[in-house]
Tab-separated table of all heavy atoms in Angstrom:
chain	number	residue	atom	x	y	z
A	14	ARG	N	0.836	-1.200	0.007
A	14	ARG	CA	0.000	-0.005	0.001
A	14	ARG	C	0.870	1.259	-0.002
A	14	ARG	O	0.620	2.206	-0.759
A	14	ARG	CB	-0.933	-0.001	1.223
A	14	ARG	CG	-1.813	1.257	1.313
A	14	ARG	CD	-2.677	1.242	2.542
A	14	ARG	NE	-1.916	1.158	3.776
A	14	ARG	CZ	-1.279	2.203	4.317
A	14	ARG	NH1	-1.294	3.378	3.713
A	14	ARG	NH2	-0.614	2.067	5.424
A	15	VAL	N	1.899	1.251	0.816
A	15	VAL	CA	2.812	2.398	0.873
A	15	VAL	C	3.580	2.550	-0.427
A	15	VAL	O	3.740	3.642	-0.987
A	15	VAL	CB	3.795	2.257	2.066
A	15	VAL	CG1	4.865	3.328	2.005
A	15	VAL	CG2	3.026	2.327	3.385
A	16	LEU	N	4.067	1.430	-0.975
A	16	LEU	CA	4.826	1.431	-2.229
A	16	LEU	C	3.998	2.042	-3.355
A	16	LEU	O	4.511	2.824	-4.182
A	16	LEU	CB	5.244	0.017	-2.602
A	16	LEU	CG	5.960	-0.158	-3.944
A	16	LEU	CD1	7.331	0.524	-3.920
A	16	LEU	CD2	6.101	-1.649	-4.306
A	17	LEU	N	2.706	1.723	-3.377
A	17	LEU	CA	1.831	2.178	-4.457
A	17	LEU	C	1.118	3.488	-4.119
A	17	LEU	O	0.231	3.916	-4.873
A	17	LEU	CB	0.809	1.089	-4.787
A	17	LEU	CG	1.431	-0.208	-5.339
A	17	LEU	CD1	0.381	-1.320	-5.382
A	17	LEU	CD2	2.020	0.023	-6.714
A	18	HIS	N	1.472	4.086	-3.001
A	18	HIS	CA	0.933	5.392	-2.596
A	18	HIS	C	-0.580	5.372	-2.459
A	18	HIS	O	-1.267	6.299	-2.879
A	18	HIS	CB	1.362	6.496	-3.572
A	18	HIS	CG	2.837	6.577	-3.790
A	18	HIS	ND1	3.703	7.032	-2.813
A	18	HIS	CD2	3.613	6.263	-4.862
A	18	HIS	CE1	4.965	6.987	-3.284
A	18	HIS	NE2	4.917	6.511	-4.528
A	19	ARG	N	-1.098	4.285	-1.873
A	19	ARG	CA	-2.519	4.210	-1.632
A	19	ARG	C	-2.843	4.755	-0.251
A	19	ARG	O	-2.032	4.670	0.664
A	19	ARG	CB	-3.037	2.758	-1.747
A	19	ARG	CG	-2.775	2.076	-3.081
A	19	ARG	CD	-3.183	2.921	-4.263
A	19	ARG	NE	-4.555	3.402	-4.142
A	19	ARG	CZ	-5.040	4.465	-4.768
A	19	ARG	NH1	-4.242	5.193	-5.546
A	19	ARG	NH2	-6.299	4.823	-4.621
A	20	PRO	N	-4.029	5.344	-0.067
A	20	PRO	CA	-4.381	5.933	1.230
A	20	PRO	C	-4.626	4.861	2.304
A	20	PRO	O	-4.799	3.679	2.006
A	20	PRO	CB	-5.677	6.694	0.916
A	20	PRO	CG	-6.243	6.009	-0.282
A	20	PRO	CD	-5.079	5.537	-1.086
A	21	THR	N	-4.685	5.303	3.551
A	21	THR	CA	-4.776	4.371	4.670
A	21	THR	C	-6.130	3.684	4.780
A	21	THR	O	-6.266	2.700	5.505
A	21	THR	CB	-4.483	5.091	5.995
A	21	THR	OG1	-5.383	6.210	6.123
A	21	THR	CG2	-3.049	5.579	6.044
A	22	ASN	N	-7.135	4.187	4.085
A	22	ASN	CA	-8.451	3.531	4.135
A	22	ASN	C	-8.541	2.362	3.158
A	22	ASN	O	-9.568	1.705	3.082
A	22	ASN	CB	-9.574	4.527	3.836
A	22	ASN	CG	-9.528	5.042	2.387
A	22	ASN	OD1	-8.449	5.386	1.890
A	22	ASN	ND2	-10.662	5.097	1.732
A	23	GLU	N	-7.470	2.072	2.445
A	23	GLU	CA	-7.446	0.962	1.512
A	23	GLU	C	-6.563	-0.158	2.034
A	23	GLU	O	-5.455	0.080	2.530
A	23	GLU	CB	-6.936	1.406	0.136
A	23	GLU	CG	-7.868	2.405	-0.559
A	23	GLU	CD	-7.439	2.744	-1.962
A	23	GLU	OE1	-6.421	2.165	-2.447
A	23	GLU	OE2	-8.099	3.577	-2.604
A	24	LYS	N	-7.047	-1.401	1.895
A	24	LYS	CA	-6.271	-2.571	2.313
A	24	LYS	C	-6.251	-3.573	1.167
A	24	LYS	O	-7.285	-3.845	0.543
A	24	LYS	CB	-6.898	-3.214	3.562
A	24	LYS	CG	-6.749	-2.332	4.811
A	24	LYS	CD	-7.164	-3.087	6.048
A	24	LYS	CE	-6.970	-2.232	7.294
A	24	LYS	NZ	-7.276	-2.994	8.540
A	25	LEU	N	-5.087	-4.142	0.905
A	25	LEU	CA	-4.934	-5.076	-0.200
A	25	LEU	C	-5.699	-6.357	0.077
A	25	LEU	O	-5.573	-6.954	1.141
A	25	LEU	CB	-3.442	-5.405	-0.419
A	25	LEU	CG	-3.141	-6.386	-1.550
A	25	LEU	CD1	-3.545	-5.786	-2.898
A	25	LEU	CD2	-1.658	-6.744	-1.551
A	26	LEU	N	-6.492	-6.783	-0.896
A	26	LEU	CA	-7.270	-8.019	-0.765
A	26	LEU	C	-6.723	-9.117	-1.673
A	26	LEU	O	-6.497	-10.231	-1.233
A	26	LEU	CB	-8.744	-7.756	-1.079
A	26	LEU	CG	-9.700	-8.903	-0.769
A	26	LEU	CD1	-9.805	-9.100	0.750
A	26	LEU	CD2	-11.082	-8.627	-1.352
A	27	VAL	N	-6.507	-8.796	-2.947
A	27	VAL	CA	-6.087	-9.798	-3.935
A	27	VAL	C	-5.086	-9.183	-4.911
A	27	VAL	O	-5.189	-7.996	-5.227
A	27	VAL	CB	-7.305	-10.346	-4.707
A	27	VAL	CG1	-6.879	-11.243	-5.868
A	27	VAL	CG2	-8.246	-11.113	-3.791
A	28	LEU	N	-4.148	-10.005	-5.377
A	28	LEU	CA	-3.202	-9.579	-6.431
A	28	LEU	C	-3.319	-10.583	-7.564
A	28	LEU	O	-3.210	-11.785	-7.354
A	28	LEU	CB	-1.778	-9.514	-5.899
A	28	LEU	CG	-0.702	-8.961	-6.854
A	28	LEU	CD1	0.479	-8.410	-6.070
A	28	LEU	CD2	-0.191	-10.022	-7.829
A	29	LEU	N	-3.511	-10.069	-8.801
A	29	LEU	CA	-3.642	-10.931	-9.971
A	29	LEU	C	-2.560	-10.592	-10.995
A	29	LEU	O	-2.567	-9.488	-11.546
A	29	LEU	CB	-5.016	-10.736	-10.621
A	29	LEU	CG	-6.260	-11.048	-9.764
A	29	LEU	CD1	-7.527	-10.716	-10.573
A	29	LEU	CD2	-6.274	-12.478	-9.313
A	30	PRO	N	-1.622	-11.518	-11.251
A	30	PRO	CA	-0.739	-11.338	-12.406
A	30	PRO	C	-1.513	-11.756	-13.664
A	30	PRO	O	-2.144	-12.821	-13.679
A	30	PRO	CB	0.418	-12.313	-12.102
A	30	PRO	CG	-0.210	-13.371	-11.259
A	30	PRO	CD	-1.328	-12.717	-10.487
A	31	VAL	N	-1.473	-10.943	-14.686
A	31	VAL	CA	-2.338	-11.161	-15.851
A	31	VAL	C	-1.529	-11.193	-17.123
A	31	VAL	O	-0.624	-10.369	-17.331
A	31	VAL	CB	-3.424	-10.053	-15.926
A	31	VAL	CG1	-4.241	-10.201	-17.207
A	31	VAL	CG2	-4.325	-10.081	-14.708
A	32	GLY	N	-1.864	-12.136	-18.014
A	32	GLY	CA	-1.207	-12.202	-19.306
A	32	GLY	C	-1.663	-13.420	-20.070
A	32	GLY	O	-2.679	-14.043	-19.762
A	33	TYR	N	-0.861	-13.795	-21.084
A	33	TYR	CA	-1.079	-15.037	-21.816
A	33	TYR	C	-0.297	-16.161	-21.151
A	33	TYR	O	0.749	-15.897	-20.545
A	33	TYR	CB	-0.625	-14.895	-23.264
A	33	TYR	CG	-1.317	-13.804	-24.060
A	33	TYR	CD1	-0.665	-12.590	-24.333
A	33	TYR	CD2	-2.622	-13.972	-24.541
A	33	TYR	CE1	-1.295	-11.589	-25.051
A	33	TYR	CE2	-3.246	-12.969	-25.256
A	33	TYR	CZ	-2.576	-11.770	-25.512
A	33	TYR	OH	-3.216	-10.790	-26.218
A	34	PRO	N	-0.757	-17.389	-21.256
A	34	PRO	CA	0.031	-18.494	-20.695
A	34	PRO	C	1.319	-18.662	-21.488
A	34	PRO	O	1.338	-18.474	-22.708
A	34	PRO	CB	-0.884	-19.704	-20.844
A	34	PRO	CG	-1.798	-19.342	-21.984
A	34	PRO	CD	-2.000	-17.864	-21.898
A	35	SER	N	2.401	-19.000	-20.806
A	35	SER	CA	3.652	-19.282	-21.520
A	35	SER	C	3.511	-20.607	-22.257
A	35	SER	O	2.636	-21.430	-21.944
A	35	SER	CB	4.809	-19.338	-20.527
A	35	SER	OG	4.636	-20.454	-19.658
A	36	LYS	N	4.369	-20.828	-23.215
A	36	LYS	CA	4.300	-22.053	-24.029
A	36	LYS	C	4.502	-23.301	-23.183
A	36	LYS	O	3.973	-24.377	-23.495
A	36	LYS	CB	5.312	-21.996	-25.167
A	36	LYS	CG	5.006	-20.925	-26.207
A	36	LYS	CD	6.040	-20.921	-27.331
A	36	LYS	CE	5.723	-19.840	-28.368
A	36	LYS	NZ	6.721	-19.808	-29.454
A	37	GLU	N	5.298	-23.170	-22.113
A	37	GLU	CA	5.605	-24.340	-21.278
A	37	GLU	C	4.690	-24.425	-20.048
A	37	GLU	O	4.952	-25.194	-19.119
A	37	GLU	CB	7.071	-24.298	-20.806
A	37	GLU	CG	7.424	-23.127	-19.890
A	37	GLU	CD	7.808	-21.856	-20.661
A	37	GLU	OE1	7.613	-21.841	-21.890
A	37	GLU	OE2	8.282	-20.932	-19.996
A	38	ALA	N	3.582	-23.673	-20.053
A	38	ALA	CA	2.693	-23.632	-18.889
A	38	ALA	C	2.109	-25.026	-18.609
A	38	ALA	O	1.629	-25.709	-19.500
A	38	ALA	CB	1.567	-22.634	-19.116
A	39	MET	N	2.154	-25.413	-17.329
A	39	MET	CA	1.586	-26.669	-16.859
A	39	MET	C	0.642	-26.358	-15.685
A	39	MET	O	0.874	-25.411	-14.920
A	39	MET	CB	2.674	-27.631	-16.390
A	39	MET	CG	3.707	-27.983	-17.456
A	39	MET	SD	3.081	-29.215	-18.627
A	39	MET	CE	3.072	-30.667	-17.588
A	40	VAL	N	-0.430	-27.139	-15.576
A	40	VAL	CA	-1.338	-26.984	-14.447
A	40	VAL	C	-1.633	-28.358	-13.849
A	40	VAL	O	-1.599	-29.383	-14.565
A	40	VAL	CB	-2.685	-26.318	-14.879
A	40	VAL	CG1	-2.441	-24.896	-15.346
A	40	VAL	CG2	-3.382	-27.141	-15.949
A	41	PRO	N	-1.901	-28.428	-12.559
A	41	PRO	CA	-2.210	-29.715	-11.937
A	41	PRO	C	-3.536	-30.244	-12.459
A	41	PRO	O	-4.458	-29.477	-12.749
A	41	PRO	CB	-2.286	-29.391	-10.447
A	41	PRO	CG	-2.552	-27.928	-10.393
A	41	PRO	CD	-1.876	-27.335	-11.562
A	42	ASP	N	-3.619	-31.566	-12.612
A	42	ASP	CA	-4.829	-32.207	-13.145
A	42	ASP	C	-5.851	-32.363	-12.016
A	42	ASP	O	-6.102	-33.471	-11.499
A	42	ASP	CB	-4.483	-33.565	-13.746
A	42	ASP	CG	-5.666	-34.176	-14.471
A	42	ASP	OD1	-6.624	-33.432	-14.777
A	42	ASP	OD2	-5.648	-35.401	-14.708
A	43	LEU	N	-6.473	-31.256	-11.636
A	43	LEU	CA	-7.428	-31.251	-10.529
A	43	LEU	C	-8.845	-31.480	-11.045
A	43	LEU	O	-9.170	-31.102	-12.170
A	43	LEU	CB	-7.360	-29.913	-9.782
A	43	LEU	CG	-6.012	-29.535	-9.169
A	43	LEU	CD1	-6.087	-28.146	-8.550
A	43	LEU	CD2	-5.558	-30.546	-8.143
A	44	LYS	N	-9.663	-32.092	-10.246
A	44	LYS	CA	-11.065	-32.309	-10.598
A	44	LYS	C	-11.959	-31.447	-9.699
A	44	LYS	O	-11.684	-31.268	-8.506
A	44	LYS	CB	-11.445	-33.796	-10.418
A	44	LYS	CG	-10.523	-34.762	-11.144
A	44	LYS	CD	-10.514	-34.507	-12.653
A	44	LYS	CE	-9.562	-35.501	-13.341
A	44	LYS	NZ	-9.431	-35.222	-14.793
A	45	ARG	N	-13.020	-30.893	-10.286
A	45	ARG	CA	-13.942	-30.069	-9.504
A	45	ARG	C	-15.059	-30.940	-8.945
A	45	ARG	O	-15.410	-31.991	-9.477
A	45	ARG	CB	-14.517	-28.952	-10.373
A	45	ARG	CG	-13.463	-27.904	-10.769
A	45	ARG	CD	-14.107	-26.708	-11.454
A	45	ARG	NE	-13.143	-25.616	-11.523
A	45	ARG	CZ	-12.397	-25.320	-12.596
A	45	ARG	NH1	-12.512	-26.045	-13.677
A	45	ARG	NH2	-11.565	-24.305	-12.564
A	46	LYS	N	-15.646	-30.472	-7.858
A	46	LYS	CA	-16.753	-31.204	-7.233
A	46	LYS	C	-17.938	-31.251	-8.185
A	46	LYS	O	-18.194	-30.327	-8.943
A	46	LYS	CB	-17.170	-30.525	-5.924
A	46	LYS	CG	-16.131	-30.619	-4.826
A	46	LYS	CD	-16.633	-29.952	-3.554
A	46	LYS	CE	-15.627	-30.082	-2.433
A	46	LYS	NZ	-16.110	-29.436	-1.175
A	47	SER	N	-18.688	-32.339	-8.126
A	47	SER	CA	-19.871	-32.488	-8.939
A	47	SER	C	-21.012	-31.652	-8.377
A	47	SER	O	-20.955	-31.180	-7.246
A	47	SER	CB	-20.302	-33.958	-9.014
A	47	SER	OG	-20.614	-34.438	-7.701
A	48	LEU	N	-22.065	-31.489	-9.163
A	48	LEU	CA	-23.181	-30.639	-8.767
A	48	LEU	C	-23.815	-31.127	-7.473
A	48	LEU	O	-24.163	-30.320	-6.596
A	48	LEU	CB	-24.231	-30.598	-9.875
A	48	LEU	CG	-25.457	-29.710	-9.612
A	48	LEU	CD1	-25.027	-28.246	-9.458
A	48	LEU	CD2	-26.471	-29.860	-10.739
A	49	ASP	N	-23.980	-32.443	-7.330
A	49	ASP	CA	-24.617	-32.952	-6.106
A	49	ASP	C	-23.756	-32.766	-4.861
A	49	ASP	O	-24.261	-32.918	-3.732
A	49	ASP	CB	-25.011	-34.428	-6.272
A	49	ASP	CG	-23.812	-35.341	-6.505
A	49	ASP	OD1	-22.714	-34.812	-6.784
A	49	ASP	OD2	-23.979	-36.550	-6.403
């Protein structure tokens, strides 16, 4: 917050690095819960 000169009423919640995936990008083979 200080580095980015944000006022004291602001608190960092989330940081998102954004871009295109690199050619060598890998992700874990995770499964999502079913509807039930």
Side-chain angles (χ1 to χ4, degrees):
R14 178 181 60 77
V15 172
L16 176 67
L17 296 169
H18 305 290
R19 301 312 308 157
T21 55
N22 66 315
E23 295 185 3
K24 292 189 177 184
L25 180 64
L26 190 67
V27 172
L28 186 156
L29 300 177
V31 174
Y33 300 104
S35 66
K36 293 181 180 179
E37 65 275 9
M39 301 283 288
V40 295
D42 187 18
L43 301 176
K44 307 300 180 185
R45 292 188 166 98
K46 292 182 178 180
S47 61
L48 182 62
D49 62 347

